[in-house]
Amino acid sequence: MKIVLENLTKRFPNRSKKGGADVIAVNNFNFEIPDGKLIGLLGPSGCGKSTCLNLLSGLETPTEGRIYFDGEDITDVPAENRGVGLVFQSYALYPHLTVLRNITFPLENLKGNKKMSRNEMDEKALETAKLVQIDGLMERKPSELSGGQQQRVAIARALVKMPRVLLLDEPLSNLDARLRLQTREEIRRIQRETGITTVFVTHDQEEAMSISDMIVVMKDGVIQQIDKPQTVYNDPQNLFVAKFLGTPAINVFVGSVKNGVLYIGDDEAMNIKCDFNGRVMVGIRPEGFIPNKNGGLCCKLTGVEVMGRDTSILSTHYAHEGEIIRSIIGSDDAIEITEITDVLDSKIEKRLHPDSGSEIKTETIRFSLKPRKVYIFDKETEKRIPFEAV
Ligand code: ATP
């Protein structure tokens, strides 16, 4: 089912004794969720993800705007009549009921022609339990299940009424790392098998990247970017999005563009074609660095870590925002560790200490940059500035 959000806004009154402006948890959202897709709402704590989900489910009423399910305006339709299945971070299972009765619970009070016999309910519950692979646990109580199994029961309970839309609010937060991975794959599989349009809330970018068809990146109630996961990573529209996605995180430097040269600090990092001249922030993905004796970016080396296939070079630079620059030299760059070491060895700089006059050694490493992994942002607006490498 296609979902459309039109000028959707939710304001909460500021309850602080000193007064102040309302909190705009969801600020003028306009987007479409195509039928059968899984959309990830991604952003830091407090950015409005849960509020957006609650507006879709009917648990919250919008201050302005409309919501359409398959063209039908459901903004004023009560939650129970919207045909949505909800799964929260806390599984909220009934402890005294078996798995079977927890799953059949939403079916017990169906009225009119939807009313089901006990047998029909049990059959439906078993069918849904098979989908989430807990059909062998039907007689257990929640306390006799692992966290992952409990969350599957919660998902089965949300699915048993065959909702038109499935809404998941941080469903994996209570699971340990291994189970998180496994359960997110499961959710993806179940979503594909059922074809139910699904909205998945998370603050974990890796989680959103791995299971979503589209990601909505949010900050302070404002949409920053809506795109396919790979596009959000490869083509971030602003500095916030660039920083929010990627592990290890993007390296951010203070720089400038002057007459076709991109400077990082005072280093002439790259020749570019760009309409902009002035102060910028420069983001470089860890995989965007190439150790090169003649490279324009000169960093102080602090370490080399070999991690299986890849080698990670740790360095610092005075124009870098964070502490350590993490660059990853992948096997596709065909640079052997010995070569990197050669680069390092050839670059032992000798300088005199300004106070003592004694000789100090600084190991430096020079990098050239992969233009497609370099992003330039306006220092004021933090919006992406397009450029071409020359
Ligand atoms: P988290 O990841 O921490 O759950 P979130 O992105 O889901 O955060 P929301 O819970 O949607 O964020 O909250 C968005 C903003 O709206 C926050 O500033 C929050 O304090 C505020 N807010 C949420 N619910 C209410 C409410 N009932 N009354 C007042 N303010 C609220």
Side-chain angles (χ1 to χ4, degrees):
M1 195 187 51
K2 185 170 96 173
I3 303 174
V4 173
L5 284 67
E6 193 181 274
N7 305 328
L8 197 68
T9 298
K10 179 67 184 178
R11 280 195 209 95
F12 291 110
N14 190 315
R15 291 193 210 285
S16 100
K17 286 191 180 126
K18 291 180 189 156
D22 290 353
V23 176
I24 309 180
V26 167
N27 194 344
N28 198 27
F29 278 21
N30 283 288
F31 63 90
E32 192 178 302
I33 304 175
D35 180 34
K37 297 292 181 198
L38 194 157
I39 299 296
L41 297 184
L42 174 68
S45 179
C47 73
K49 306 180 294 289
S50 298
T51 305
C52 182
L53 208 73
N54 293 341
L55 291 170
L56 290 171
S57 70
L59 294 177
E60 292 280 2
T61 314
T63 317
E64 282 158 40
R66 313 303 298 172
I67 302 168
Y68 300 89
F69 283 2
D70 264 351
E72 179 198 349
D73 186 343
I74 54 96
T75 321
D76 302 316
V77 174
E80 61 275 18
N81 298 337
R82 289 191 186 189
V84 297
L86 271 168
V87 179
F88 296 103
Q89 175 180 342
S90 59
Y91 325 122
L93 301 176
Y94 299 107
H96 57 290
L97 297 182
T98 60
V99 167
L100 173 66
R101 290 292 153 246
N102 264 285
I103 301 175
T104 56
F105 194 82
L107 305 175
E108 313 256 348
N109 295 318
L110 293 177
K111 301 260 160 35
N113 59 359
K114 287 191 181 155
K115 195 169 166 54
M116 287 186 178
S117 70
R118 176 62 64 203
N119 266 354
E120 282 170 329
M121 279 191 248
D122 290 359
E123 233 168 73
K124 191 86 198 132
L126 189 64
E127 196 184 301
T128 318
K130 277 189 182 149
L131 186 68
V132 299
Q133 297 175 348
I134 47 161
D135 46 310
L137 308 170
M138 299 301 261
E139 292 313 317
R140 292 207 199 165
K141 297 269 175 65
S143 61
E144 296 163 334
L145 300 176
S146 72
Q149 289 165 337
Q150 290 185 51
Q151 192 54 298
R152 283 164 197 242
V153 178
I155 295 169
R157 192 178 54 184
L159 288 175
V160 76
K161 270 168 81 174
M162 286 312 289
R164 300 196 286 172
V165 178
L166 184 62
L167 304 174
L168 304 154
D169 195 349
E170 303 260 9
L172 309 179
S173 301
N174 286 350
L175 307 181
D176 67 37
R178 195 182 52 83
L179 257 180
R180 273 180 90 109
L181 260 176
Q182 197 186 334
T183 314
R184 83 183 187 205
E185 299 300 325
E186 283 289 287
I187 289 177
R188 188 59 177 144
R189 178 186 62 78
I190 294 161
Q191 195 273 331
R192 286 229 168 96
E193 276 182 37
T194 56
I196 297 176
T197 310
T198 299
V199 184
F200 183 100
V201 161
T202 179
H203 61 271
D204 180 334
Q205 48 102 14
E206 240 181 273
E207 207 164 276
M209 291 278 283
S210 67
I211 71 166
S212 311
D213 292 307
M214 299 280 276
I215 294 183
V216 180
V217 187
M218 300 165 55
K219 180 192 171 200
D220 298 336
V222 177
I223 293 177
Q224 305 293 306
Q225 189 164 350
I226 306 179
D227 263 314
K228 288 185 180 155
Q230 211 51 42
T231 311
V232 182
Y233 181 81
N234 287 334
D235 213 359
Q237 296 302 296
N238 62 38
L239 184 58
F240 174 82
V241 175
K243 281 182 175 179
F244 202 75
L245 281 103
T247 320
I250 197 163
N251 301 284
V252 179
F253 302 82
V254 179
S256 56
V257 179
K258 272 181 240 153
N259 307 323
V261 179
L262 172 65
Y263 291 88
I264 291 181
D266 292 324
D267 293 358
E268 287 189 30
M270 212 163 47
N271 290 324
I272 59 169
K273 216 164 98 187
C274 179
D275 292 336
F276 183 91
N277 272 302
R279 306 246 293 156
V280 294
M281 302 301 285
V282 186
I284 308 174
R285 293 272 181 222
E287 63 275 23
F289 297 83
I290 306 168
N292 176 349
K293 288 172 197 174
N294 305 315
L297 179 64
C298 182
C299 300
K300 278 187 191 172
L301 181 76
T302 56
V304 177
E305 290 171 1
V306 181
M307 308 170 296
R309 256 179 341 144
D310 299 338
T311 299
S312 178
I313 298 180
L314 311 178
S315 60
T316 61
H317 189 281
Y318 62 91
H320 184 239
E321 243 193 12
E323 212 166 298
I324 296 288
I325 302 163
R326 198 170 270 275
S327 43
I328 295 175
I329 314 303
S331 45
D332 359 339
D333 291 316
I335 293 173
E336 295 294 329
I337 297 154
T338 49
E339 285 179 50
I340 295 171
T341 319
D342 284 349
V343 174
L344 305 182
D345 287 346
S346 68
K347 283 288 155 193
I348 306 273
E349 270 186 2
K350 290 185 179 168
R351 291 193 286 120
L352 293 182
H353 193 280
D355 300 326
S356 64
S358 61
E359 191 179 90
I360 51 165
K361 281 184 179 174
T362 318
E363 287 188 353
T364 68
I365 178 160
R366 285 185 169 273
F367 294 107
S368 55
L369 305 174
K370 294 182 190 169
R372 284 179 48 227
K373 297 290 175 184
V374 177
Y375 307 94
I376 306 177
F377 304 95
D378 186 312
K379 191 152 191 303
E380 303 309 318
T381 63
E382 301 196 344
K383 288 208 174 111
R384 176 106 167 267
I385 299 169
F387 72 90
E388 276 174 46
V390 289

